Amino acid sequence: MKKLVEQINAELAEFQANAEAQVAKGNKAAGARARKAALSLMKDLKEFRKISVAEAKK
């Protein structure tokens, strides 16, 4: 679970950097990277929730 949390933090940082580049500089490629990171982040957050619920039931 610790590895998953580290992966989520890394993806969040990547999303933030790319989203900021899109908003501040109008970088269209950064927007595409931010959207890709958002999809990956959603997948990992769902996995975290599943693991977290399973751990809480123990």
Side-chain angles (χ1 to χ4, degrees):
M1 185 144 136
K2 184 176 181 175
K3 183 179 178 183
L4 181 60
V5 171
E6 290 171 356
Q7 184 175 349
I8 289 170
N9 287 332
E11 289 172 352
L12 184 57
E14 179 184 351
F15 168 78
Q16 289 173 327
N18 286 313
E20 181 62 29
Q22 181 188 19
V23 172
K25 301 174 186 173
N27 186 335
K28 291 181 183 180
R33 290 190 301 270
R35 290 189 297 275
K36 183 178 177 183
L39 289 174
S40 182
L41 191 57
M42 283 182 3
K43 183 185 92 173
D44 288 339
L45 287 171
K46 287 179 183 180
E47 182 67 23
F48 173 80
R49 184 178 186 283
K50 185 169 74 171
I51 293 170
S52 179
V53 168
E55 289 291 322
K57 289 182 180 181
K58 287 184 178 179

